Amino acid sequence: MTQLSTLEKLAILADAAKYDASCASSGTTRRDSRSGKGIGSTEGMGICHAYAPDGRCISLLKVLLTNHCIFDCHYCINRKSSNVRRARFSPQEVADLTMTFYRRNYIEGLFLSSGIIKSSSHTMELLIETARILREEHEFRGYIHLKTIPEADPDLVRRAGLHADRVSINVELPTVAGLTRLAPDKSAPRIEGAMDLMAGAIVEGRDARRRFRHAPRYAPAGQSTQMIVGADAASDADIITRSSGLYGRFGLRRVYYSAFSPIPDASAVLPLKRPPLLREHRLYQSDWLMRFYGYGLDDVRAATGPGGMLPLDIDPKLAFALKFRDRFPVDVNRAPREALLRVPGLGVRAVAAILSARRQRRLDLADLARLTVSLTKVRPFIIAADWRPVVLADRADLRAVVAPRRGEQLELFA
Amino acid sequence: MTGTIARVTMAIGAPDDFDGWRDGARRLIQAGVAPDRVGWSVPGQAARDLFAGDDPPAPRADAPPVRASRDFLDLAGRAALHRDPGRFDLLYRVLWRLQAVPRLMADRADPDVRAIDALARAVRRDMHKMRAFVRFRVVETGQGEHYVAWFEPMHHILRANAGFFVRRFAAMRWSILTPQGAVHWDGAALHEGPPASRTDCPAGDPAEALWRTYYASIFNPARLKIDAMVKEMPRRYWKNLPEADLIPELIASAQAREAAMIALGGDNAGRPPATLAALDEAVAACRRCAIGCNGTRAVPGKGPPDARLMIVGEQPGDHEEQAGHPFVGPAGHVLRQHADAIGLNLAVARLTNAVRHFKHVSQGKQRLHQTPTAREIDTCRWWLDAERALIRPRVIVALGASAARAILGRTIGVQQERGRLIALDDGARLVITSHPAHQLRLGEAARADEAARFAADLALAARG
């Protein structure tokens, strides 16, 4: 085998990493290197240094340490039976590459994952070693996201959080049946066991910081996970239920959804075509509704249509409003925050602005036009000083009136 | 207010001099000068009206202190950096109104408040984009590495944003050059420089080749969302991003690549050949997968057309491809030894393969075997099905996982499934065992063990 250059290895190992959706660099503690020692900073808000034509943000250097793998998961391009070119970075090489990119302001930090070589624990040690080199030898203060390998030794899983801002373990598929079929080497109880362990370590770390000022920070940006949408038969309702359970049990910061995309050299167990990208988008929207809009799991499930699928032509919030029309119209001058958040077309910012402005005076439609993006969308569902929808909420064709025309939907959460 | 002065012009030191504006505005409010009588002049930009105004009046001694809420100052500090020439007029108008309506800023539906908010948000976004899109290039100087970037901000944000780069890159020496001015960090202090031009910045950096490779590789061609990209990375930034000139080509090739991936897995069309001769001829011309297109010749099955036993291997190897017959290489030799040992006559069996062409990678003069992918096996399965339909064997032996997949249509674990008869839909029975080539790769002890299991499997098939 000829020696691959760094350039070739990067091409192979970045290509192999692109199926991980997350590239977030937000939500960690504030750090800087003003002291002149070390390099890097994090200021709470993540920065996307570039965008690829797939619409995804490039915030971190997202690579695999190696795409050699002893596992054979059907949906994965790096499974052992796949014929992709293989390559391998040493921890030192990845650390150096991270520094090269970081100094030129290309990235916020590193998102490191790996195929499993030798054993899960051995691989986990290499991941941790990379993070250690960055933190201890380069005094790197930027963002590090480590993918954790659930099958590795619990002690190693725990150590990952000492260097990383965020750790993640992928649940991979929304149902246990899907996991058994498509990822025969993985086990759902193991994955959840590792997530549980991590959740415990994060709580412990936070607790220690409260009591001892110098206790080390432990994964300050928490843990996240990812599941693949459209590779198995799970419905949107199944998926939402699963995420809601994960958020609740393990205190996750984010559940990422990755629409299954056809991979070169695919296993024939997989569907050939991808699910509509819009499906992924609708799932993110429902996720948002639960995390920021006060919707319960049952509310979002109620928005699903036949077969437990969210409608693709309208967003889940609108679907919910059309189903429960008796809850509308909502009076923008009186209704509590929770009720306003359920109005299609009113976002968290608009609701905050309404609450603040209505303390000064009664709001009319002209005011709302200034506070919202689309008055047309909001109007059927609200009462304002000079407006009351008389028949609109009962109209049978309301869906047609308020549904966006094709192509109008913006990508807000991708 | 009963002002006696017709018009007033206030001069501000620099386009982003918010403190200067604040001092001037405070004096004007205390002098009771109404917004419609004030013009603001900034270097490089005259006051809004063409008439030169009077000098600002002195504040009245009995004037109450000027009131400005915290949220106004936060927003105004940012809005002042906007390139909108009317920004200082707007800020003064709102400050004026705040004296009478202290809670004005809470009225987020007020048009003036909205306007300030919009300016502040545009500036915030521009600052954020600068933090994202500044790309440093390294030059070697006498004192070591110096990182230089050329950036074209939309608003007057350079000075306000320098702190971010100091906090992040304090240990480096760097410069950010813009058409409006420059900032330089020498590792200890920030210095300002005159407006620069793009040519003052180095033309490239060796790391950009790596970065461009990364950018092209991390892009997933199966999902194209150009609008989402352009919304967050507007085209006007592209000319200063080393990776951006890759975009048109990535987009153009993406759709073609995905279509090709799906087409590769598509169903085979047409009806299977009616005779073995027609089958062999058609296989030779098959180009339905990459292996079929690699220039090797197809190796058809061999053996009597009414064979009771069919033995399916993975694919022809180097020897087989040259000879044009299956199982004539080292693995075939192992198979024959075992058959002889149990008195099985291979001449009456049909020998064939899951895949008909030789998948390999060339290394020097050698052609090294490569395992076919699941998709390639599934594509070639159509030929095996046709062969099975013509021969109708009663027992099939699948040698290895590829052959088993070609019969069953799914991947199985050979070690779990071997050693028993499996009933197939067409009434034939299947024995799965390891590929004889496997024995060639094992150590002494393991080989004896494997040979025994293989012999047992083969004997089972001979009896079945």
Side-chain angles (χ1 to χ4, degrees), chain A residues 54-73:
Chain A
D54 55 16
R56 280 180 170 167
C57 142
I58 300 175
S59 178
L60 305 171
L61 168 62
K62 186 160 58 174
V63 286
L64 301 192
L65 206 49
T66 173
N67 63 343
H68 290 278
C69 192
I70 56 173
F71 284 4
D72 205 11
C73 308

Side-chain angles (χ1 to χ4, degrees), chain B residues 133-155:
Chain B
F133 298 145
V134 156
R135 299 278 187 268
F136 284 116
R137 287 169 167 167
V138 183
V139 274
E140 285 297 332
T141 66
Q143 299 138 291
E145 289 179 334
H146 192 112
Y147 290 78
V148 186
W150 165 253
F151 189 76
E152 296 171 53
M154 276 179 85
H155 304 294

Side-chain angles (χ1 to χ4, degrees), chain A residues 39-320:
Chain A
I39 187 165
S41 62
T42 50
E43 307 202 338
M45 194 163 154
I47 299 176
C48 295
H49 286 270
Y51 287 80
D54 55 16
R56 280 180 170 167
C57 142
I58 300 175
S59 178
L60 305 171
L61 168 62
K62 186 160 58 174
V63 286
L64 301 192
L65 206 49
T66 173
N67 63 343
H68 290 278
C69 192
I70 56 173
F71 284 4
D72 205 11
C73 308
H74 291 287
Y75 52 82
C76 180
I77 188 168
N78 305 315
R79 66 185 189 283
K80 71 174 168 199
S81 61
S82 166
N83 258 327
V84 292
R85 283 185 82 195
R86 308 280 174 170
R88 181 176 174 177
F89 271 135
S90 69
Q92 187 67 49
E93 281 177 298
V94 173
D96 291 346
L97 196 57
T98 307
M99 294 307 290
T100 302
F101 280 7
Y102 195 86
R103 286 177 200 280
R104 286 161 182 78
N105 202 40
Y106 298 163
I107 52 168
E108 286 292 288
L110 174 68
F111 177 176
L112 189 62
S113 179
S114 181
I116 316 280
I117 35 169
K118 280 193 197 162
S119 70
S120 300
S121 292
H122 174 73
T123 312
M124 195 66 228
E125 268 179 60
L126 293 178
L127 293 177
I128 294 170
E129 172 63 7
T130 312
R132 190 202 61 78
I133 295 174
L134 279 171
R135 289 287 193 234
E136 291 179 1
E137 292 174 21
H138 295 293
E139 298 240 20
F140 177 66
R141 313 266 160 91
Y143 196 91
I144 297 181
H145 179 163
L146 285 188
K147 177 121 303 172
T148 312
I149 297 161
E151 292 78 12
D153 187 272
D155 253 6
L156 291 171
V157 173
R158 220 175 278 126
R159 251 172 61 201
L162 287 175
H163 299 299
D165 291 285
R166 169 164 290 181
V167 285
S168 61
I169 302 167
N170 284 359
V171 296
E172 310 292 6
L173 290 152
T175 61
V176 175
L179 191 73
T180 316
R181 196 167 71 87
L182 295 177
D185 300 311
K186 298 200 175 180
S187 107
R190 276 219 89 135
I191 292 173
E192 298 201 352
M195 287 170 100
D196 197 34
L197 184 81
M198 192 58 85
I202 290 171
V203 171
E204 248 170 58
R206 209 172 302 147
D207 197 47
R209 286 282 298 182
R210 232 168 263 150
R211 279 178 295 144
F212 310 105
R213 208 156 54 86
H214 294 292
R217 290 196 186 277
Y218 190 88
Q223 68 168 327
S224 64
T225 192
Q226 167 171 315
M227 57 177 102
I228 296 164
V229 175
D232 65 355
S235 69
D236 289 346
D238 295 338
I239 293 172
I240 302 162
T241 309
R242 184 76 202 280
S243 331
S244 158
L246 291 172
Y247 277 123
R249 278 160 62 208
F250 306 121
L252 295 186
R253 289 289 182 92
R254 270 299 283 279
V255 175
Y256 288 93
Y257 303 105
S258 175
F260 162 73
S261 54
I263 49 176
D265 211 21
S267 157
V269 183
L270 286 176
L272 271 177
K273 288 199 183 112
R274 65 185 186 199
L277 283 183
L278 204 51
R279 183 174 173 203
E280 180 189 295
H281 182 61
R282 296 290 179 234
L283 283 169
Y284 276 123
Q285 287 179 316
S286 67
D287 198 270
W288 243 251
L289 291 183
M290 289 198 283
R291 290 163 60 217
F292 304 116
Y293 287 76
Y295 283 65
L297 173 61
D298 292 335
D299 295 333
V300 179
R301 284 181 67 114
T304 59
M309 300 301 275
L310 293 166
L312 288 178
D313 59 339
I314 54 172
D315 64 78
K317 195 175 177 187
L318 184 56
F320 178 85

Side-chain angles (χ1 to χ4, degrees), chain B residues 114-132:
Chain B
R114 295 301 292 172
I116 290 196
D117 195 50
L119 293 187
R121 264 191 290 158
V123 168
R124 207 180 135 92
R125 180 177 157 94
D126 197 33
M127 287 177 73
H128 188 75
K129 292 301 175 196
M130 176 173 168
R131 295 171 184 194

Side-chain angles (χ1 to χ4, degrees), chain B residues 124-455:
Chain B
R124 207 180 135 92
R125 180 177 157 94
D126 197 33
M127 287 177 73
H128 188 75
K129 292 301 175 196
M130 176 173 168
R131 295 171 184 194
F133 298 145
V134 156
R135 299 278 187 268
F136 284 116
R137 287 169 167 167
V138 183
V139 274
E140 285 297 332
T141 66
Q143 299 138 291
E145 289 179 334
H146 192 112
Y147 290 78
V148 186
W150 165 253
F151 189 76
E152 296 171 53
M154 276 179 85
H155 304 294
H156 306 288
I157 57 168
L158 178 64
R159 206 173 282 137
N161 226 1
F164 169 84
F165 293 94
V166 171
R167 290 192 292 277
R168 175 159 292 195
F169 301 117
M172 296 173 2
R173 295 188 320 116
W174 51 262
S175 301
I176 299 175
L177 315 176
T178 79
Q180 289 81 37
V183 286
H184 308 281
W185 174 257
D186 59 9
L190 209 52
H191 305 278
E192 292 187 11
S197 79
R198 187 200 304 259
T199 48
D200 297 332
C201 181
D205 185 296
E208 283 176 6
L210 283 167
W211 172 243
R212 286 162 57 87
T213 301
Y214 176 65
Y215 182 79
S217 307
I218 203 72
F219 160 58
N220 183 352
R223 32 184 308 151
L224 211 50
K225 285 190 188 176
I226 301 164
D227 291 350
M229 169 186 66
V230 173
K231 184 166 164 265
E232 294 300 335
M233 196 167 80
R235 287 201 165 82
R236 59 178 204 84
Y237 292 110
W238 289 15
K239 61 178 183 292
N240 292 325
L241 296 172
E243 68 275 17
D245 63 347
L246 295 169
I247 293 171
E249 200 197 311
L250 289 177
I251 293 173
S253 60
Q255 281 138 340
R257 274 161 76 187
E258 193 194 2
M261 273 196 289
I262 292 172
L264 219 81
D267 290 328
N268 292 317
R271 259 189 297 168
T275 66
L276 285 173
L279 175 70
D280 293 352
E281 198 179 313
V283 166
C286 178
R287 301 289 179 266
R288 288 176 188 175
C289 75
I291 317 178
C293 306
N294 70 2
T296 59
R297 72 163 152 176
V299 177
K302 192 185 176 192
D306 56 350
R308 214 182 119 269
L309 176 68
M310 177 184 260
I311 297 178
V312 185
E314 184 190 59
Q315 64 169 352
D318 191 27
H319 292 88
E320 284 84 2
E321 199 265 339
Q322 287 175 33
H325 300 299
F327 291 103
V328 296
H333 183 66
V334 174
L335 176 65
R336 275 166 217 286
Q337 276 182 329
H338 279 283
D340 291 348
I342 61 165
L344 174 65
N345 182 7
L346 285 186
V348 299
R350 179 81 183 181
L351 302 179
T352 190
N353 279 306
V355 172
R356 306 293 160 127
H357 282 88
F358 175 34
K359 182 172 184 177
H360 64 274
V361 57
S362 296
Q363 200 172 78
K365 286 181 185 169
Q366 280 188 308
R367 298 193 296 176
L368 300 181
H369 163 273
Q370 273 197 309
T371 309
T373 65
R375 176 146 295 159
E376 286 156 354
I377 294 168
D378 293 348
T379 305
C380 215
R381 191 179 170 205
W382 195 78
W383 299 118
L384 184 65
D385 285 348
E387 191 176 3
R388 276 173 62 192
L390 291 168
I391 308 260
R392 302 203 63 76
R394 279 177 47 206
V395 179
I396 300 176
V397 178
L399 302 177
S402 297
R405 186 183 176 95
I407 306 288
L408 294 172
R410 62 193 159 86
T411 300
I412 50 92
V414 171
Q415 298 307 330
Q416 289 95 54
E417 303 295 332
R418 72 188 298 177
R420 62 191 178 90
L421 290 165
I422 300 166
L424 296 174
D425 290 342
D426 65 351
R429 288 190 287 180
L430 171 69
V431 175
I432 295 172
T433 185
S434 63
H435 196 281
H438 181 47
Q439 295 178 33
L440 300 173
R441 292 192 289 266
L442 291 173
E444 198 85 18
R447 187 188 306 168
D449 195 37
E450 172 58 37
R453 296 189 71 186
F454 183 81

